[in-house]
Amino acid sequence: MTRRLAACLMNISEGRSRETVEAIAMSALRVNDKITRDGGCRASVLNIFSDHDYNRSVLTIASTVEDIGEAVFQACTSAYLHIDLSRHEGGHPRLGSVDLVPLHPLSLGVTLQECGEIATGVAHRLASTTKGSASFLFGHADRPLCRPLAQRRREVGWFSTGRPFEELRQDVGDRPSSRYGITGLEVWAANCQFH
């Protein structure tokens, strides 16, 4: 039986504290505490790229479709715990302590719609467990419109310098706070066409 796989390139607003980034990455692996039928891993962190000047990291998480939502949720929850955006300094524009959470299919038969449902589920679960967190949706997580990132950034106020986080417009969760900011969740594919 072939595994149905998906991946997430989670962008977090921390690139200077290796310990913090590694703690967040390890949180994604908590799904591996469950035993699989074939004895394999449920999730892996394939890569961590950190940029000191931008104070930003990208964690590449791969997992079965059944477990990617949990792996991403655990990593986001850990990032919210460790990263206070109100104290952040760095050269890269950002809106959230967890800035972007793009999901995408890795295996044939895993659909964009399926990944969109997972991303939306993660957004709602984060909102219900981390008070003060907020999300905006784009790509195939933003059904039925599937608006692209550039459009959604304009709509939520990404390009407004000096704008208080509380004035940003969220799709899910509380009003954005200065601690967490707002997290963008999306689903994309290399051949994805936007209207």
PDB file of all heavy atoms in Angstrom, residues 11 75 87 92 111 124 139 149 183 194:
ATOM      1  N   ASN A  11       6.514  28.779   7.804  1.00  0.00           N
ATOM      2  CA  ASN A  11       7.366  29.957   7.995  1.00  0.00           C
ATOM      3  C   ASN A  11       7.114  30.534   9.379  1.00  0.00           C
ATOM      4  O   ASN A  11       5.977  30.918   9.687  1.00  0.00           O
ATOM      5  CB  ASN A  11       7.011  31.032   6.963  1.00  0.00           C
ATOM      6  CG  ASN A  11       7.391  30.647   5.551  1.00  0.00           C
ATOM      7  OD1 ASN A  11       8.206  31.292   4.934  1.00  0.00           O
ATOM      8  ND2 ASN A  11       6.774  29.594   5.027  1.00  0.00           N
ATOM      9  N   ALA A  75       3.251  21.979  15.820  1.00  0.00           N
ATOM     10  CA  ALA A  75       4.342  22.926  15.560  1.00  0.00           C
ATOM     11  C   ALA A  75       3.867  24.373  15.726  1.00  0.00           C
ATOM     12  O   ALA A  75       4.576  25.206  16.313  1.00  0.00           O
ATOM     13  CB  ALA A  75       4.912  22.702  14.159  1.00  0.00           C
ATOM     14  N   ARG A  87       7.998  41.399  20.259  1.00  0.00           N
ATOM     15  CA  ARG A  87       9.424  41.604  20.557  1.00  0.00           C
ATOM     16  C   ARG A  87      10.320  41.264  19.369  1.00  0.00           C
ATOM     17  O   ARG A  87      11.533  41.267  19.496  1.00  0.00           O
ATOM     18  CB  ARG A  87       9.823  40.757  21.751  1.00  0.00           C
ATOM     19  CG  ARG A  87       9.067  41.125  22.993  1.00  0.00           C
ATOM     20  CD  ARG A  87       9.438  40.240  24.121  1.00  0.00           C
ATOM     21  NE  ARG A  87       8.622  40.591  25.276  1.00  0.00           N
ATOM     22  CZ  ARG A  87       8.835  40.151  26.483  1.00  0.00           C
ATOM     23  NH1 ARG A  87       9.841  39.346  26.718  1.00  0.00           N
ATOM     24  NH2 ARG A  87       8.053  40.505  27.461  1.00  0.00           N
ATOM     25  N   HIS A  92      12.667  40.794   7.410  1.00  0.00           N
ATOM     26  CA  HIS A  92      11.634  40.269   6.499  1.00  0.00           C
ATOM     27  C   HIS A  92      10.256  40.724   6.957  1.00  0.00           C
ATOM     28  O   HIS A  92       9.941  40.659   8.140  1.00  0.00           O
ATOM     29  CB  HIS A  92      11.679  38.741   6.493  1.00  0.00           C
ATOM     30  CG  HIS A  92      10.900  38.129   5.378  1.00  0.00           C
ATOM     31  ND1 HIS A  92       9.529  38.042   5.380  1.00  0.00           N
ATOM     32  CD2 HIS A  92      11.310  37.576   4.221  1.00  0.00           C
ATOM     33  CE1 HIS A  92       9.122  37.452   4.275  1.00  0.00           C
ATOM     34  NE2 HIS A  92      10.194  37.158   3.547  1.00  0.00           N
ATOM     35  N   THR A 111      -5.634  15.383  -2.970  1.00  0.00           N
ATOM     36  CA  THR A 111      -6.186  16.524  -3.706  1.00  0.00           C
ATOM     37  C   THR A 111      -5.915  17.848  -2.999  1.00  0.00           C
ATOM     38  O   THR A 111      -5.693  17.895  -1.784  1.00  0.00           O
ATOM     39  CB  THR A 111      -7.702  16.364  -3.883  1.00  0.00           C
ATOM     40  OG1 THR A 111      -8.333  16.452  -2.600  1.00  0.00           O
ATOM     41  CG2 THR A 111      -8.048  15.042  -4.557  1.00  0.00           C
ATOM     42  N   HIS A 124      -9.023  26.574  12.459  1.00  0.00           N
ATOM     43  CA  HIS A 124     -10.100  26.579  13.462  1.00  0.00           C
ATOM     44  C   HIS A 124      -9.636  25.967  14.787  1.00  0.00           C
ATOM     45  O   HIS A 124      -9.987  26.465  15.862  1.00  0.00           O
ATOM     46  CB  HIS A 124     -11.333  25.857  12.928  1.00  0.00           C
ATOM     47  CG  HIS A 124     -12.096  26.666  11.933  1.00  0.00           C
ATOM     48  ND1 HIS A 124     -12.957  27.684  12.286  1.00  0.00           N
ATOM     49  CD2 HIS A 124     -12.095  26.636  10.576  1.00  0.00           C
ATOM     50  CE1 HIS A 124     -13.467  28.235  11.198  1.00  0.00           C
ATOM     51  NE2 HIS A 124     -12.951  27.626  10.145  1.00  0.00           N
ATOM     52  N   GLY A 139      -5.324  30.568  -1.354  1.00  0.00           N
ATOM     53  CA  GLY A 139      -5.148  29.369  -2.158  1.00  0.00           C
ATOM     54  C   GLY A 139      -6.359  28.457  -1.993  1.00  0.00           C
ATOM     55  O   GLY A 139      -7.482  28.922  -1.823  1.00  0.00           O
ATOM     56  N   LEU A 149      -2.022  34.548  -2.613  1.00  0.00           N
ATOM     57  CA  LEU A 149      -1.374  35.196  -1.470  1.00  0.00           C
ATOM     58  C   LEU A 149      -1.259  36.711  -1.646  1.00  0.00           C
ATOM     59  O   LEU A 149      -1.562  37.459  -0.717  1.00  0.00           O
ATOM     60  CB  LEU A 149       0.006  34.592  -1.225  1.00  0.00           C
ATOM     61  CG  LEU A 149       0.833  35.217  -0.099  1.00  0.00           C
ATOM     62  CD1 LEU A 149       0.095  35.155   1.236  1.00  0.00           C
ATOM     63  CD2 LEU A 149       2.184  34.522   0.008  1.00  0.00           C
ATOM     64  N   THR A 183      -1.785  34.482  11.125  1.00  0.00           N
ATOM     65  CA  THR A 183      -1.155  33.378  10.408  1.00  0.00           C
ATOM     66  C   THR A 183      -1.896  33.132   9.099  1.00  0.00           C
ATOM     67  O   THR A 183      -3.119  33.041   9.092  1.00  0.00           O
ATOM     68  CB  THR A 183      -1.184  32.103  11.276  1.00  0.00           C
ATOM     69  OG1 THR A 183      -0.450  32.338  12.471  1.00  0.00           O
ATOM     70  CG2 THR A 183      -0.585  30.914  10.533  1.00  0.00           C
ATOM     71  N   PHE A 194      -4.953  30.202 -10.591  1.00  0.00           N
ATOM     72  CA  PHE A 194      -5.851  31.066  -9.838  1.00  0.00           C
ATOM     73  C   PHE A 194      -6.654  31.907 -10.805  1.00  0.00           C
ATOM     74  O   PHE A 194      -6.188  32.283 -11.867  1.00  0.00           O
ATOM     75  CB  PHE A 194      -5.072  31.977  -8.890  1.00  0.00           C
ATOM     76  CG  PHE A 194      -4.393  31.221  -7.796  1.00  0.00           C
ATOM     77  CD1 PHE A 194      -3.023  31.018  -7.822  1.00  0.00           C
ATOM     78  CD2 PHE A 194      -5.123  30.693  -6.748  1.00  0.00           C
ATOM     79  CE1 PHE A 194      -2.398  30.309  -6.815  1.00  0.00           C
ATOM     80  CE2 PHE A 194      -4.501  29.993  -5.741  1.00  0.00           C
ATOM     81  CZ  PHE A 194      -3.139  29.797  -5.770  1.00  0.00           C
TER      82      PHE A 194
END
